[in-house]
Amino acid sequence: MTTRRDFLKAAGASALAVPARAAADAAGPLKITKVEAVRFREDLKIQGIAPNWMWVRLHTDKGIVGIGESYPGYEAHRGALKELAPLILGKDATQIERLWQDIFYHISYQPWGGADFRMLTAINIAQWDILGKAAGLPVYKLLGGKAQSRLMVYNTMNGWPINGMREHTHPEQLAEFLLQRGIKGIKIYPYDRGPVNALAQHGGTFITQAELKKSLDPIQRIRKSAGDEIEIALDLSSRWNLPCSMEIAHSLEPYGIMWLEDPMLADNLAAYASLARATSIPICISERLATRFRFREMFEQHAVGVVMYDVTWCGGISEAKKISDMADTYKIPTAPHTGGGPVLWYASIHTATSLTNFYILESVYHLYNDVYPHFLKNVPVPVNGYVTPPETPGLGLEIREEAFRNGDAVIETVAEL
């Protein structure tokens, strides 16, 4: 393993801003010798939440192990990883761009975004973890250092209660709970949750005036109790058509909404461009898109006001950084999606810290407070509404080995030299 001193001497650069290529050259070849999949016990529930993610572990000939992640599910991802394993065994884990490109062109005969692409994403994250450990540096420094000294967060509900409080029954109390912790943003789902649930009534193809007005109830209650002290984002779960999306957007305009997220599937960006022109509310899309190539079309169509991607879906840390840099040329900010597993949380924090166009970061109180600590010792927790990355090498995950000893997490060797 390269020492920090040897690395800096070889790279000829300051530890505060070491490019990834210099880190790879200084670390030397790290041959991938084993690929493992980590699944989690099917009946495991942590306060009602079942881990739905899968970890990928890459072992190298120098003893350094990197961890990546994607979700949801295991079997399809494991099968894809097994098929991709011959492409990565024996390869240099520090050659991140080369291996990404080789795998991407291999799977490009299939539609992008399925299990094989999710495994490319997990492999990429594991490679960044390896490179950081080899260099003795946290990943954000390899990405260019701190463009942000700390990251402002908002809290997503999406069916995850906080101490039994839900968005449609306790909106005032939730706003107060978050504000007491310095968290000044909340994302809610009034159109497909709660007593109105207009989506369930018509499947996203129609919304009545009565449903439109009743769906505003939690928004109005938050504004009445907290005023403008808290930002409100709305997620529509990609289930609506264009006319309904426009009606919903127009009804929300008096309430100072932070953004309207994924009202439609992102399969027609021209429709999104029409929506963006029709409302003053910023449109936020989409964790459902993968690769900078698909996001390029979004920018060219002027279809988005805030870019959201999921680091464990879009192509990994490498692709997330490229998407954000591309968005920056259009003066569009980035707000990563983090509603998955703990590796996603760590990887998103590192990536966002390096972004000049960072906007705000999704967080889920129930996940970082209750679920992630079951597997990790050092989960980043927002302090006064902001979160920062670990300063330890790589992603900085400190795994609780007892989760493996007691069978909550199970390692399977997928391929080995």
Side-chain angles (χ1 to χ4, degrees), residues 301-345:
Q301 292 267 6
H302 302 287
V304 63
V306 178
V307 164
M308 175 173 285
Y309 51 67
D310 187 302
V311 176
T312 62
W313 290 347
C314 73
I317 292 172
S318 297
E319 204 67 3
K321 183 68 163 63
K322 291 172 184 175
I323 292 166
S324 289
D325 289 344
M326 187 183 299
D328 200 21
T329 67
Y330 288 83
K331 303 303 179 187
I332 296 172
T334 301
H337 176 266
T338 70
V343 178
L344 169 60
W345 179 231

Side-chain angles (χ1 to χ4, degrees), residues 198-271:
L199 177 65
Q201 304 302 317
H202 312 286
T205 63
F206 191 84
I207 186 167
T208 68
Q209 289 301 304
E211 291 162 350
L212 202 63
K213 292 174 181 177
K214 289 177 182 177
S215 296
L216 294 172
D217 177 67
I219 301 157
Q220 293 169 332
R221 290 167 66 183
I222 291 172
R223 280 285 174 255
K224 184 177 180 180
S225 65
D228 293 330
E229 292 302 308
I230 193 164
E231 302 295 328
I232 303 173
L234 283 300
D235 192 339
L236 272 62
S237 304
S238 300
R239 299 294 299 274
W240 298 85
N241 60 22
L242 181 57
C244 290
S245 298
M246 286 186 172
E247 283 193 87
I248 291 169
H250 290 153
S251 72
L252 292 167
E253 285 176 347
Y255 298 98
I257 300 302
M258 182 165 68
W259 69 56
L260 188 63
E261 180 181 330
D262 282 345
M264 303 173 285
L265 275 176
D267 54 358
N268 186 329
L269 294 175

Side-chain angles (χ1 to χ4, degrees), residues 148-187:
Q148 309 292 331
S149 61
R150 56 182 187 161
L151 305 172
M152 183 179 180
V153 304
Y154 69 95
N155 191 84
T156 286
M157 298 311 298
N158 195 22
W160 291 298
I162 296 179
N163 299 334
M165 296 183 292
R166 297 184 181 275
E167 62 200 80
H168 52 274
T169 55
H170 303 85
E172 300 93 343
Q173 293 91 333
L174 283 169
E176 182 182 4
F177 179 90
L178 295 173
L179 287 171
Q180 286 175 349
R181 286 153 182 79
I183 298 174
K184 297 183 178 181
I186 186 171
K187 184 161 72 181

